[in-house]
Amino acid sequence: MHDILIRGAAVVDGTETPRYTADVAVTGDTITAIGTDLGGAHRVIDADGLVLSPGFIDMHAHSDLQVLLNPEHPSRITQGVTCEVIGQDGLSYAPVSDDTLAVVRRQIAGWNTDPEDFDFAWRTVGEYLDHIDAAGVATNLAYLVPHGLLRALTRGFDDGVATAAEVERMQQILAQGLREGAAGLSTGLTYTPAMYADGAELDALLRTTARHGGYFSPHHRSYGAGAMEAYREMIDLSRATGCPLHLAHATLNFGPNKGRAPELLALLDEAVAGGADITLDTYPYLPGATTLSAILPSWVAAGGTDAVLNRLRDPASLARIRDHLEHTGSDGCHGVIAEWNTIEISGVGDQALAGYVGRTIEQIAADERRDPFDVCIGILLADRLATGILQHVGHEENVRAIMAHPTHTGGSDGLLVGAKPHPRAWGTFARYLGHYSRDLGLMSLEECVGHLTGRAARRLKLLRRGLIREGYAADIVLFDPDTVIDRATFDAPRTPAAGFTHVLVRGVPALDDGHLTGARAGGALRLTDEGVL
């Protein structure tokens, strides 16, 4: 007898082929039968009028710490996500030493918070993945080794070109992380300290990643004025090293890139036609999200938090920073000048600053009759760099063109902390299904589900996930195709999506008849010689 029988569902199986009506049976953590007259079950779910699909795969998540602090993980479960890829943008929590952990905890507090009473009981990638399994989490998690941590462990957080010996040491630490189960390598080339890497360092790390069967997911050097050159650098590195490339949050934002998506896609198509293995992910929104400190010029970031704060108090350094932000363009702001009317405070570490949340730098400056640059620096100092922001700099035509590409997958890039985080953390996958597929008709439902499941599973080399097939893991979503929609907004960003009725992770209901169960059936997915288990 089956554990669960889902009866009469419209099965959209992740292959992008037409849907079909069938019963789906689950026993333990596995899909054990698909068809009709499948026999008895301990529980029967009537799925008439509902679509049954594989659980969605978030190719760019920042749940590294929050999935442990808030293991029910409602932002993902309520929109059908059953697998996330973390360790993004070259910064996370493994591998670390005691010293580098102390710095990086503060550096990415705006991404994850920095709880004083939390026990960071691991240091290696393997120990972190073991901790995830032992703690019990709601979703499945694949991990990328963060390049910034490799650099921190070998030469600290300072700038400068790595020596041959330092690069070799980075390769050794990376190889260990890949052997311990990481799916690949990430980098953050606008974040300290990965931003200081030259092409030779990246080339060596990509070759190590390729030898161990992983892929490379870069936050590249510019998404603004230098975006095309930055994309080209990553594609050229992939072709030279043979390392599969996944272009993270592949956007073209800021004024200089309006309408330029066809140029990017032509560059991508040329590389793929030449044999390159390249995919990408996007989020279906116009604003981006990062930390306020990220817009500073790269030279300011050297040395860690205390060094940055000291520079923000130094008049000579401030004069240089102002010139970059307001006149010549800051590389931290993707080579463009800071448009204060587009930078909105989304979260603060110090709650004494909570009144700034939901307001742009320009609005705060006008209300306080202060200079916008001075407001920016004042907030950074008062909040010790923990401030999160939204940047309203996107272009709808670029978003639509990129999401239609045959290599496209979905990634939320969603931060889960702050008073008003980006709504993509709670709405990305429902927005694809409801707004872009059903309402705008930019792709069929079958194609849309394929973007969010089967395509992503192929990139990750998932052996038993991403499709509805007998013998595959029972990561399953049921939703109403007529009502599914994102409801998270910039004013109410933590509003759950509509239309989802059931979400199974490894055969265990995490969302049951629209209600969170608190189940923690997920766990770490580890890269092996065959693929990711």
Side-chain angles (χ1 to χ4, degrees):
M1 179 174 287
H2 308 295
D3 290 333
I4 298 174
L5 180 65
I6 303 170
R7 182 172 290 160
V11 178
V12 179
D13 65 7
T15 64
E16 304 184 40
T17 56
R19 72 194 75 182
Y20 60 90
T21 301
D23 301 342
V24 176
V26 173
T27 303
D29 64 357
T30 302
I31 298 171
T32 47
I34 303 172
T36 58
D37 301 323
L38 299 182
H42 294 291
R43 181 184 178 189
V44 176
I45 297 174
D46 181 6
D48 183 43
L50 300 178
V51 166
L52 182 151
S53 80
F56 304 134
I57 300 171
D58 189 339
M59 288 296 292
H60 193 99
H62 286 284
S63 305
D64 309 46
L65 192 57
Q66 287 299 309
V67 74
L68 297 170
L69 295 174
N70 187 12
E72 192 174 50
H73 212 26
S75 69
R76 297 304 187 268
I77 294 300
T78 56
Q79 57 175 319
V81 172
T82 61
C83 177
E84 303 172 82
V85 187
I86 57 175
Q88 301 284 357
D89 295 335
L91 292 167
S92 185
Y93 302 100
V96 290
S97 65
D98 291 352
D99 290 341
T100 60
L101 175 62
V103 175
V104 80
R105 282 178 58 177
R106 191 63 199 170
Q107 183 178 359
I108 57 175
W111 295 3
N112 296 299
T113 72
D114 183 19
E116 294 182 2
D117 57 350
F118 183 79
D119 182 14
F120 290 83
W122 63 85
R123 292 297 178 266
T124 68
V125 169
E127 290 168 352
Y128 175 60
L129 299 181
D130 288 344
H131 187 90
I132 286 171
D133 286 337
V137 292
T139 57
N140 301 302
L141 298 161
Y143 190 71
L144 301 173
V145 179
H147 173 207
L149 299 186
L150 302 179
R151 236 181 179 260
L153 286 168
T154 55
R155 57 174 292 116
F157 290 83
D158 292 333
D159 58 2
V161 175
T163 66
E166 288 168 340
V167 172
E168 183 178 1
R169 179 58 181 148
M170 287 185 226
Q171 290 178 283
Q172 293 169 352
I173 302 170
L174 170 60
Q176 177 183 342
L178 294 165
R179 287 193 298 268
E180 290 171 349
L185 169 72
S186 79
T187 192
L189 296 175
T190 65
Y191 299 122
T192 304
M195 64 168 62
Y196 306 123
D198 63 5
E201 178 179 324
L202 294 172
D203 183 284
L205 295 175
L206 264 66
R207 292 182 188 277
T208 299
T209 302
R211 280 197 300 273
H212 287 81
Y215 74 94
F216 178 48
S217 180
H219 171 116
H220 52 257
R221 298 189 194 274
S222 176
Y223 289 82
M228 290 301 172
E229 293 77 10
Y231 279 117
R232 186 174 290 107
E233 180 191 15
M234 298 299 101
I235 291 171
D236 288 347
L237 277 167
S238 174
R239 297 178 78 169
T241 61
C243 185
L245 172 65
H246 182 79
L247 295 170
H249 38 48
T251 58
L252 281 167
N253 292 336
F254 303 96
N257 289 317
K258 183 175 176 61
R260 297 187 70 189
E263 294 179 50
L264 168 61
L265 299 179
L267 182 66
L268 181 58
D269 288 339
E270 178 186 6
V272 171
D277 182 359
I278 304 175
T279 52
L280 55 81
D281 68 65
T282 66
Y283 49 83
Y285 297 85
L286 299 186
T290 186
T291 58
L292 184 57
S293 62
I295 73 170
L296 297 172
S298 59
W299 60 266
V300 179
T305 299
D306 289 339
V308 174
L309 293 172
N310 286 336
R311 293 186 185 102
L312 298 184
R313 298 185 185 100
D314 174 59
S317 295
L318 282 176
R320 289 182 63 196
I321 295 168
R322 182 188 288 272
D323 185 58
H324 284 294
L325 285 178
E326 297 194 329
H327 301 292
T328 62
S330 167
D331 54 359
C333 198
H334 303 283
V336 302
I337 63 171
E339 298 174 327
W340 302 118
N341 64 322
T342 70
I343 299 174
E344 176 186 346
I345 305 300
S346 61
V348 292
D350 184 346
Q351 292 310 300
L353 306 172
Y356 289 143
V357 172
R359 300 158 67 191
T360 67
I361 297 292
E362 183 179 78
Q363 289 169 336
I364 296 167
D367 292 343
E368 298 184 356
R369 297 183 179 181
R370 297 171 60 199
D371 176 77
F373 175 80
D374 292 339
V375 168
C376 173
I377 300 302
I379 292 173
L380 287 169
L381 286 169
D383 209 22
R384 290 185 55 81
L385 311 185
T387 311
I389 62 170
L390 302 175
Q391 284 185 286
H392 297 270
V393 291
H395 306 289
E396 181 68 18
E397 67 271 35
N398 288 342
V399 169
R400 294 190 189 190
I402 293 169
M403 77 167 61
H405 195 267
T407 67
H408 174 264
T409 63
S412 70
D413 193 19
L415 303 181
L416 302 176
V417 303
K420 286 192 174 182
H422 199 301
R424 65 194 184 195
W426 289 72
T428 287
F429 295 85
R431 186 167 177 81
Y432 272 121
L433 295 166
H435 180 63
Y436 283 99
S437 174
R438 182 192 61 230
D439 297 344
L440 298 183
L442 294 185
M443 63 188 82
S444 70
L445 179 61
E446 288 85 352
E447 290 173 319
C448 188
V449 168
H451 287 220
L452 308 180
T453 60
R455 292 187 189 183
R458 288 194 296 274
R459 165 49 72 218
L460 288 171
K461 296 184 179 179
L462 297 183
L463 297 178
R464 295 177 54 246
R465 287 181 166 84
L467 301 175
I468 299 298
R469 286 184 177 168
E470 293 181 4
Y472 271 49
D475 295 340
I476 295 172
V477 176
L478 285 173
F479 62 90
D480 184 335
D482 296 326
T483 63
V484 64
I485 197 66
D486 60 305
R487 296 190 300 182
T489 67
F490 290 98
D491 289 330
R494 290 185 171 89
T495 306
F500 292 93
T501 63
H502 298 79
V503 176
L504 275 61
V505 180
R506 304 189 187 197
V508 177
L511 189 73
D512 199 345
D513 199 22
H515 300 288
L516 288 163
T517 68
R520 302 184 186 183
L525 301 178
R526 292 171 172 83
L527 180 65
T528 70
D529 290 340
E530 293 78 29
V532 175
L533 293 171

